[in-house]
Amino acid sequence: EDKVVQSPLSLVVHEGDTVTLNCSYEVTNFRSLLWYKQEKKAPTFLFMLTSSGIEKKSGRLSSILDKKELFSILNITATQTGDSAIYLCAVLQGAQKLVFGQGTRLTINP
Amino acid sequence: GAVVSQHPSWVICKSGTSVKIECRSLDFQATTMFWYRQFPKQSLMLMATSNEGSKATYEQGVEKDKFLINHASLTLSTLTVTSAHPEDSSFYICRAGTGGGETQYFGPGTRLLVL
């Protein structure tokens, strides 16, 4: 059975801290891995990772994929209260199907 | 980037009524539409996949006669929740895909509350 597992499920840190969110997967017909941020509405796209070892960056966020070990991490440096959200990892399969992890609920305290 | 819209964004209805949710791709042709449901504090669960002009493929455990999906054009798919019950109250989100990889964008979602 295809599965995507995220850890931790919940994380509370202070503003300014750096956090690392994990995502491991076991899926058939892997095409790419995606990270989303979800606040009160639908998920907002962050990154799409297709190749191993190539870091993608957007401001204070960065992510990398390891296709040999079947995992990805999402890093957020110098966290701000606006980073508080649920972060979703999803794997895109060959037929465009997205399999989601459970999400990590990140809370940034001032 | 690709834009996907959903309508309505909020709907409250009485138990037993049917509710239709529309999902539109605004600047590209979506050959495939995906419908998800998300309960509070849970992740997104795929309900069904629909390809333009053909019948939808439902995930295990999703009742096809209760959740009617129509994908009659390349820019519009609809999800109708028939005879809605309180347990159908959820956040319904669509995702529109093309063969070229424009698959990372979701619609804004529809919150359904069945009283």
Side-chain angles (χ1 to χ4, degrees), chain A residues 22-109:
Chain A
N22 304 293
C23 176
S24 64
Y25 62 92
E26 289 181 38
V27 300
T28 55
N29 208 4
F30 174 93
R31 193 163 151 182
S32 56
L33 185 144
L34 295 91
W35 284 96
Y36 292 88
K37 177 182 182 182
Q38 186 176 27
E39 295 172 270
K40 292 187 177 174
K41 291 193 173 180
T44 303
F45 171 76
L46 294 176
F47 298 111
M48 176 187 272
L49 303 154
T50 306
S51 302
S52 273
I54 300 174
E55 185 183 49
K56 292 219 172 175
K57 291 197 70 161
S58 177
R60 296 177 292 102
L61 277 68
S62 64
S63 184
I64 197 162
L65 173 68
D66 185 329
K67 290 168 73 173
K68 183 179 177 185
E69 299 297 327
L70 307 183
F71 79 91
S72 173
I73 60 172
L74 174 69
N75 275 323
I76 308 175
T77 59
T79 52
Q80 302 171 358
T81 54
D83 296 327
S84 295
I86 296 172
Y87 290 83
L88 295 167
C89 170
V91 172
L92 182 66
Q93 295 180 290
Q96 301 188 59
K97 183 176 177 178
L98 269 181
V99 181
F100 279 89
Q102 324 94 299
T104 293
R105 182 178 292 273
L106 176 64
T107 303
I108 311 296
N109 288 326

Side-chain angles (χ1 to χ4, degrees), chain B:
Chain B
V3 178
V4 178
S5 72
Q6 264 184 258
H7 177 80
S9 56
W10 253 108
V11 58
I12 301 173
C13 69
K14 291 183 180 178
S15 186
T17 60
S18 294
V19 175
K20 180 186 281 188
I21 302 169
E22 293 186 350
C23 175
R24 294 182 185 271
S25 56
L26 298 182
D27 57 358
F28 66 99
Q29 292 186 327
T31 51
T32 308
M33 294 274 198
F34 303 86
W35 286 95
Y36 295 82
R37 180 167 53 181
Q38 186 178 32
F39 292 108
K41 299 191 178 181
Q42 294 187 26
S43 191
L44 279 74
M45 298 303 296
L46 180 65
M47 298 174 68
T49 302
S50 72
N51 291 297
E52 185 265 337
S54 61
K55 287 185 179 180
T57 302
Y58 290 81
E59 295 298 301
Q60 195 170 11
V62 178
E63 299 173 59
K64 63 180 181 181
D65 294 329
K66 179 170 182 64
F67 299 99
L68 303 179
I69 291 173
N70 183 283
H71 191 170
S73 78
L74 286 171
T75 59
L76 173 65
S77 176
T78 60
L79 166 67
T80 301
V81 183
T82 61
S83 187
H85 289 103
E87 57 264 31
D88 298 323
S89 298
S90 188
F91 189 44
Y92 292 87
I93 311 173
C94 70
R95 177 171 71 93
T98 70
E102 291 272 351
T103 58
Q104 64 267 45
Y105 296 99
F106 288 82
T110 296
R111 291 202 182 277
L112 170 64
L113 178 61
V114 184
L115 301 177

